[in-house]
Amino acid sequence: MTTATTTAPGTAAPPKPATMAQALRRALRDAMAEDPAVHVLGEDVGTLGGVFRITDGLAAEFGDDRCTDTPLAEAGILGAAVGMAMYGLRPVVEMQFDAFAYPAFEQLFSHVARMRNRTRGAMPLPITVRVPYGGGIGGVEHHSDSSEAYYMATPGLQVVTPATVEDAYGLLRAAIASDDPVVFLEPKRLYWSKADWSPDAPATVEPLGRAAVRRRGSSATLITYGPSVPVCLEAAEAATAEGWDLEVVDLRSLVPFDDETVCASVRRTGRAVVVHEATGFGGPGGEIAARVTERCFHQLEAPVLRVAGFDIPYPPPMLERHHLPGVDRVLDAVARLQWEAAS
């Protein structure tokens, strides 16, 4: 895997406010400029620049043969990407919304995830599948799903999701550079989040599979990712009023999973809550809680708890505030971590 290029010291523009959408667009642009094998394809990614304008300007700069509008046929889009990758290209597919990706599952599960194994390593598929996901934007059905558990349960796929502007750039560059398929989940509600960032001097891209500690703490660990990271950071600040000093771990990569960072945190705090928007039953939190329990059992002061979306199809926009994990639900879970044992 390659790493992102950096500008020579002393020539980079100083950091300034940038959105996650801008960082993603710059990552695509830089990857296409660096490697002519990188092609972008999807519904409305060309002239329109995508529903969320992540591909804005790419067709004008690189031509519509490298940033290509496709028919409304997700299985066909991903099937075309499989063929492109088999012939040496490095396609980046955009699925317009999370649940729009479901028609492409057969291609993803039966071919994209299996090709390296099927060919005894002779034919890896360097495909990046970008999927805007999650709620918080008032979207209707099929526009707010959190589908990560499906991808996590499929061997052969890497699954990553950024929560910061810097990670949006770095993780997407790493995903495109990977020789194996990556499902890149983009939290829609964070597209317009901002941070000081210099596109001319992006941080060195770490290998996929590393979590980050976003807030140090000693009382308990909040394990989360993507759109729930800001929620957990807000909850951690609010928790100080109750005397709890919460650590927040941003997984960044769901597959590969960073057991080392997660377990080091939980062994130190002794308590953990997993927070995500996906449903609780069969959701990522069950696997994460099991891994933490297996590896940290003797250091745990309480069972690992989960705060998740309800086990229902995604609700109408007027009700999503109840469905999505919020600060109050996170703090309620923290309060149930058997604190009497610490007194």
Side-chain angles (χ1 to χ4, degrees):
M1 189 188 74
T2 60
T3 57
T5 55
T6 56
T7 303
T11 62
K16 60 182 181 180
T19 65
M20 178 177 285
Q22 290 173 320
L24 291 167
R25 187 182 310 124
R26 181 59 186 259
L28 290 170
R29 187 264 170 199
D30 288 355
M32 296 177 77
E34 186 176 284
D35 184 355
V38 176
H39 287 241
V40 172
L41 66 159
E43 299 161 0
D44 294 324
V45 299
T47 303
L48 182 65
V51 169
F52 297 101
R53 304 297 187 267
I54 306 301
T55 59
D56 190 29
L58 298 181
E61 182 173 357
F62 297 101
D64 56 12
D65 61 334
R66 290 191 63 198
C67 184
T68 307
D69 283 328
T70 66
L72 304 181
E74 288 79 8
I77 298 169
L78 198 50
V82 171
M84 294 166 68
M86 292 174 71
Y87 279 87
L89 298 180
R90 199 169 283 269
V92 181
V93 169
E94 177 177 302
M95 294 291 165
Q96 205 164 65
F97 283 93
D98 30 65
F100 289 12
Y102 300 159
F105 272 9
E106 197 278 333
Q107 289 290 329
L108 191 69
F109 297 162
S110 296
H111 302 295
V112 173
R114 299 168 186 257
M115 192 64 74
R116 177 186 280 276
N117 185 268
R118 181 181 296 159
T119 61
R120 299 182 181 181
M123 186 171 288
L125 294 182
I127 299 174
T128 300
V129 184
R130 296 180 41 243
V131 184
Y133 85 114
I137 64 166
V140 293
E141 184 187 12
H142 283 79
H143 293 72
S144 298
D145 280 10
S146 294
S147 318
E148 53 268 35
Y150 300 138
Y151 306 117
M152 292 173 65
T154 303
L157 298 179
Q158 301 170 95
V159 185
V160 302
T161 178
T164 68
V165 171
E166 184 177 23
D167 269 358
Y169 181 91
L171 289 176
L172 184 53
R173 290 298 308 272
I176 296 171
S178 173
D179 288 332
D180 287 302
V182 179
V183 176
F184 190 88
L185 299 170
E186 300 172 1
K188 291 192 291 289
R189 70 156 101 175
L190 298 184
Y191 272 146
W192 300 279
S193 61
K194 288 186 176 180
D196 286 340
W197 179 69
S198 174
D200 296 326
T204 301
V205 176
E206 299 179 9
L208 298 178
R210 299 298 298 178
V213 177
R214 299 297 183 195
R215 184 187 192 279
R216 291 286 179 183
S218 59
S219 303
T221 301
L222 302 180
I223 305 168
T224 189
Y225 55 87
S228 295
V229 171
V231 175
C232 287
L233 289 171
E234 185 179 352
E237 293 304 315
T240 59
E242 302 293 334
W244 297 318
D245 182 20
L246 303 181
E247 183 149 304
V248 178
V249 175
D250 173 8
L251 294 175
R252 301 169 79 236
S253 172
L254 300 175
V255 182
F257 190 86
D258 186 358
D259 289 301
E260 180 182 1
T261 299
V262 172
C263 291
S265 175
V266 175
R267 289 187 182 113
R268 191 160 44 76
T269 64
R271 295 174 172 82
V273 178
V274 185
V275 183
H276 57 62
E277 292 186 7
T279 57
F281 188 86
E287 172 63 23
I288 295 168
R291 298 179 79 87
V292 170
T293 302
E294 289 170 353
R295 291 162 174 78
C296 308
F297 181 78
H298 294 291
Q299 289 81 34
L300 284 173
E301 301 288 348
V304 179
L305 300 182
R306 292 173 290 165
V307 178
F310 300 134
D311 298 329
I312 56 173
Y314 201 82
M318 67 181 67
L319 298 176
E320 70 173 350
R321 70 182 186 280
H322 302 294
H323 176 76
L324 298 173
V327 170
D328 289 344
R329 287 177 60 194
V330 174
L331 294 180
D332 285 346
V334 172
R336 291 188 285 115
L337 288 175
Q338 299 184 7
W339 295 100
E340 62 276 11
S343 60

